[in-house]
Amino acid sequence: MNEFNCNFHNHTVLSPCADISMTPDIYIDYLSKYGIDWIAITDHNSSRNNRIYMDIISKHGIKIIPGIEVQTIEEIHVLIYFKDIAQSEHFGNIIENNLTIQIYDPEKLGYQIVIDKNGEFNQIIESPYLGSSSKFTVEEVFKISKNYESLIIPAHIFRMNGLIYNLGFPPNLDFDAVEIKNEKELLMAKKLGFKNFIFGEDSHFPEALNDYSCKVICNNRSFEELKKSIKENKVIPKWQL
Amino acid sequence: MILKELIDSLKLKIEHEGNLNTEISEGHVGDLLSQVMSDAKENSIWITCQTHQNIIAVAEVVGIKAIVIPDNYKFTEDTLNKVKETEISLLSSNMSGFNTAGVIFKTLNL
């Protein structure tokens, strides 16, 4: 068994609300410096930067799970992790094509930047607004995600744009886990019947990359092992270590 | 109608004073921020139970001039700090959201 230092909720320069310094270079700097070796990339409603971040960052011994943070029509944020990059891109396209706000002002709401293979700014996405909601309900997003080899995990469930914050109580969906932030939330989530958890930083700024949020005890850093670790509660939050 | 007149006639409580001399010509009710962003009109007064500081950014983007929170709910500290950078006014009403919207609609003659 191995122990990996992880963060499974991270934004890149593509997310309009993320800092424009969240480039692959900054990821490498921070993650290497702080010994974080397994992360997920989860931009808002798009997977366009997944491939390039995976290519560049994985050269430094850091393993990346391609993911996305979808906003449902109820404004609930849901993390989805994919077995491979192709599936994440396919799913990401569907979400991007079904967003509710097309025109937006990047001066006010932030730039959406795609990175090229050299790690440089390549293109600014002017439409759609990736910070908007998709047209899908949480049930529909759940159903669509099941067409892929994926894990579906509502993000920060007790906070703004969280499953419980927005809906009051859990819908009848068999999520793979829920993301929570501290021991108090863990107890609250268990009371609601949730049994599996992940613990993310939801990093939008480089400073949020300077520590792992959980350790995972498993054989290797594969999608299957992550799935198994979540199921067997081998994802241990930092505050329990 | 000038915001100040509307506040006086409805006896709304001022939680943060922005530009009270601004003209209000529309109203909007909603708690889902992305929906407010796409549907609300400029120069609106907005009734919402959503208290998160993101309401300030949404109001700025849309051009909403005042936000009313009904049922004597409270804006968060973050929201009260964030609004200081803007000309937006934050108001509270002791009426329900339904009644608040009703009297505002009537008063604005919409």
Side-chain angles (χ1 to χ4, degrees):
Chain A
M1 284 287 174
N2 293 301
E3 250 185 46
F4 299 106
N5 300 333
C6 310
N7 260 331
F8 295 120
H9 187 166
N10 301 287
H11 294 270
T12 79
V13 290
L14 180 60
S15 293
C17 49
D19 200 76
I20 58 161
S21 64
M22 293 293 268
T23 59
D25 283 349
I26 285 284
Y27 265 82
I28 293 162
D29 280 359
Y30 275 76
L31 299 178
S32 310
K33 189 168 165 193
Y34 296 102
I36 298 162
D37 44 23
W38 198 10
I39 67 163
I41 297 288
T42 52
D43 277 313
H44 291 295
N45 297 309
S46 176
S47 50
R48 286 201 211 199
N49 268 349
N50 281 359
R51 186 179 289 269
I52 211 71
Y53 276 66
M54 279 175 86
D55 285 352
I56 298 175
I57 298 171
S58 61
K59 287 183 186 132
H60 297 260
I62 297 154
K63 189 88 181 174
I64 296 187
I65 300 260
I68 191 168
E69 184 175 25
V70 177
Q71 182 167 315
T72 71
I73 199 150
E74 307 93 344
E75 295 194 343
I76 296 163
H77 287 186
V78 183
L79 298 168
I80 302 167
Y81 305 131
F82 297 89
K83 187 176 178 187
D84 56 62
I85 184 69
Q87 295 191 66
S88 93
E89 287 175 339
H90 192 271
F91 181 90
N93 271 333
I94 293 175
I95 298 302
E96 261 195 56
N97 290 332
N98 284 281
L99 292 177
T100 51
I101 299 178
Q102 298 301 318
I103 299 159
Y104 89 110
D105 181 356
E107 286 288 330
K108 285 183 177 156
L109 294 168
Y111 288 92
Q112 308 178 152
I113 302 161
V114 174
I115 294 289
D116 69 15
K117 63 179 183 342
N118 301 316
E120 310 282 336
F121 288 4
N122 179 37
Q123 186 196 354
I124 291 174
I125 309 285
E126 288 173 353
S127 175
Y129 174 45
L130 299 177
S132 59
S133 293
S134 70
K135 293 170 187 160
F136 303 124
T137 64
V138 66
E139 282 84 5
E140 286 167 335
V141 170
F142 183 89
K143 223 182 256 175
I144 300 167
S145 80
K146 293 296 162 192
N147 297 331
Y148 301 81
E149 291 166 284
S150 68
L151 295 167
I152 178 162
I153 299 174
H156 41 69
I157 59 169
F158 296 112
R159 304 186 181 210
M160 177 79 172
N161 298 125
L163 182 79
I164 303 302
Y165 185 97
N166 284 26
L167 292 190
F169 50 87
N172 192 17
L173 296 170
D174 191 18
F175 293 111
D176 293 290
V178 291
E179 184 195 51
I180 54 128
K181 299 289 185 186
N182 54 42
E183 190 67 26
K184 194 179 152 212
E185 288 190 6
L186 182 59
L187 292 173
M188 283 159 64
K190 282 180 176 169
K191 265 191 192 159
L192 289 170
F194 293 113
K195 292 184 174 68
N196 305 95
F197 309 95
I198 62 153
F199 315 90
E201 279 297 327
D202 196 358
S203 62
H204 287 76
F205 295 88
E207 294 70 36
L209 296 173
N210 69 10
D211 205 356
Y212 61 88
S213 53
C214 53
K215 275 188 193 272
V216 178
I217 302 155
C218 60
N219 289 319
N220 58 56
R221 295 168 292 174
S222 64
F223 176 83
E224 283 78 13
E225 282 289 300
L226 176 61
K227 189 174 177 176
K228 200 168 146 228
S229 305
I230 288 172
K231 208 166 189 167
E232 295 173 357
N233 288 313
K234 298 267 174 62
V235 182
I236 317 292
K238 193 177 63 183
W239 71 81
Q240 284 185 3
L241 293 161
Chain B
M1 181 179 252
I2 302 296
L3 178 58
K4 195 173 180 326
E5 294 170 30
L6 190 62
I7 293 169
D8 290 344
S9 79
L10 268 69
K11 298 196 172 55
L12 297 171
K13 192 169 163 228
I14 300 174
E15 305 290 347
H16 173 80
E17 183 176 329
N19 178 5
L20 299 184
N21 294 315
T22 189
E23 179 76 23
I24 302 290
S25 54
E26 293 281 350
H28 191 86
V29 180
D31 304 321
L32 291 177
L33 301 186
S34 57
Q35 182 226 54
V36 174
M37 264 171 75
S38 53
D39 297 344
K41 297 193 179 74
E42 224 180 309
N43 302 320
S44 286
I45 186 163
W46 171 24
I47 301 153
T48 182
C49 301
Q50 179 61 265
T51 56
H52 189 273
Q53 60 169 324
N54 282 8
I55 59 175
I56 305 300
V58 169
E60 270 204 291
V61 167
V62 174
I64 287 167
K65 303 295 195 246
I67 305 172
V68 190
I69 189 164
D71 292 315
N72 280 327
Y73 283 119
K74 297 271 170 268
F75 291 102
T76 66
E77 262 328 285
D78 288 344
T79 304
L80 289 164
N81 281 327
K82 186 90 185 161
V83 75
K84 288 177 190 158
E85 304 157 17
T86 74
E87 293 208 320
I88 296 163
S89 298
L90 296 183
L91 313 167
S92 62
S93 163
N94 55 14
M95 289 178 278
S96 69
F98 181 77
N99 288 353
T100 306
V103 280
I104 289 175
F105 184 82
K106 228 169 159 184
T107 312
L108 288 177
N109 269 328
L110 291 171

